[in-house]
Amino acid sequence: MSPDHVSTDGRETRPWTGAELALLARTELIRVAGARDDGTLRPFALVGHVRLGRDELVRSLNGPDGAWYRGAVRSGHGEIDVDGRRIAVAFVRDLGRAAEVDQALRDRYGDDSGVRRMTRSPARDATLRVVPLGTDG
């Protein structure tokens, strides 16, 4: 079977499974961690997430300067922890759908002060698509 996609660092990615999608849908916040050069994970950060079509997206509340975001972008891969289940993922910048992501965040989380921060710069400038890595990720 051919890969769904190839990440920026050449790793094979795959589509989300039905079980993963169901878990993501019922989990309000997930933890994300980019990988270091030696393959170990940076510290996990708790973030909100939204789904647009087949894509799962996250944003850094502190924008491109956020520590977890910088680590995820630098390596291009890492892990997410969804309610105790770890999934190896690629992180891909996704800046072409800001208004759609804004609306998805409002639909999922409401319109409190945190969501208002997530729907304007600098957070808007730090949107990543989270793509599961193939089994040998």
Side-chain angles (χ1 to χ4, degrees):
M1 185 163 132
S2 64
D4 183 56
H5 180 268
V6 177
S7 69
T8 56
D9 65 353
R11 295 169 186 257
E12 289 186 5
T13 63
R14 61 174 176 78
W16 293 101
T17 67
E20 289 166 340
L21 291 173
L23 184 59
L24 283 161
R26 70 176 176 262
T27 304
E28 185 173 341
L29 301 173
I30 62 174
R31 295 182 329 130
V32 298
R36 294 183 180 99
D37 291 340
D38 67 3
T40 62
L41 293 176
R42 296 176 185 281
F44 278 93
L46 195 61
V47 300
H49 61 103
V50 295
R51 185 146 189 86
L52 288 181
R54 293 178 41 180
D55 298 330
E56 197 69 29
L57 298 122
V58 295
R59 278 187 178 162
S60 168
L61 186 62
N62 295 316
D65 293 332
W68 77 261
Y69 178 86
R70 287 190 324 263
V73 168
R74 178 181 169 145
S75 69
H77 67 279
E79 290 186 6
I80 61 171
D81 180 315
V82 186
D83 197 26
R85 176 159 181 217
R86 292 235 183 134
I87 302 169
V89 297
F91 297 106
V92 181
R93 290 181 197 207
D94 191 307
L95 301 176
R97 302 181 284 179
E100 291 175 84
V101 176
D102 292 350
Q103 189 57 53
L105 285 162
R106 286 186 202 97
D107 291 346
R108 181 165 188 147
Y109 298 107
D111 193 31
D112 65 15
S113 62
V115 173
R116 287 192 296 274
R117 283 185 62 196
M118 291 297 289
T119 56
R120 56 183 190 236
S121 288
R124 238 180 165 214
D125 305 322
T127 305
L128 296 175
R129 188 164 28 100
V130 181
V131 185
L133 290 172
T135 54
D136 62 356

